[in-house]
Amino acid sequence: MTPEQRRRRARIAAHVSWANTADRTARTSSGTKAFLDRFERQADPEGVLPEEVRAVMAKHARTAYMLHLAEKSAAARRRRTKSQHP
């Protein structure tokens, strides 16, 4: 099977799987929790801060992460635009 055929089959399987998922939130909840817990561990690796303080710090860490991703995305778009229109 070629890489293109594998990609196409994987896309079909993913769409079939999501078509059969009534509760999308329940299906993704463990991944979402792990993603958010990452920022709490980053903000308070020892787990000693009060919950309210840790939550605020984690929110800022998450916002910084998202802004960093947005900057990387914008830079990639700029590079693509430059390469298409030299």
Side-chain angles (χ1 to χ4, degrees), residues 75-86:
R77 286 191 306 274
R78 283 191 298 271
R79 283 192 305 275
R80 272 195 307 270
T81 300
K82 280 184 182 179
S83 69
Q84 291 172 358
H85 305 295

Side-chain angles (χ1 to χ4, degrees), residues 7 11-12 15 21 33 44 49 63 65 68 75 82:
R7 275 192 299 275
R11 288 185 67 199
I12 291 168
H15 284 289
T21 301
K33 182 179 179 340
D44 184 19
L49 295 173
T63 300
Y65 175 78
H68 178 73
K82 280 184 182 179

Side-chain angles (χ1 to χ4, degrees), residues 33-55:
K33 182 179 179 340
F35 178 72
L36 297 176
D37 287 349
R38 165 191 175 184
F39 299 106
E40 291 217 0
R41 283 191 309 277
Q42 178 183 335
D44 184 19
E46 304 299 321
V48 296
L49 295 173
E51 179 60 33
E52 305 80 36
V53 173
R54 184 173 43 249

Side-chain angles (χ1 to χ4, degrees), residues 8-74:
R8 198 169 26 254
R9 279 196 179 176
R11 288 185 67 199
I12 291 168
H15 284 289
V16 167
S17 179
W18 282 111
N20 293 317
T21 301
D23 188 351
R24 297 174 67 86
T25 301
R27 179 170 170 182
T28 60
S29 65
S30 65
T32 300
K33 182 179 179 340
F35 178 72
L36 297 176
D37 287 349
R38 165 191 175 184
F39 299 106
E40 291 217 0
R41 283 191 309 277
Q42 178 183 335
D44 184 19
E46 304 299 321
V48 296
L49 295 173
E51 179 60 33
E52 305 80 36
V53 173
R54 184 173 43 249
V56 169
M57 292 173 69
K59 181 176 185 278
H60 286 291
R62 190 170 57 250
T63 300
Y65 175 78
M66 293 299 176
L67 289 170
H68 178 73
L69 287 181
E71 183 57 35
K72 286 177 69 171
S73 176

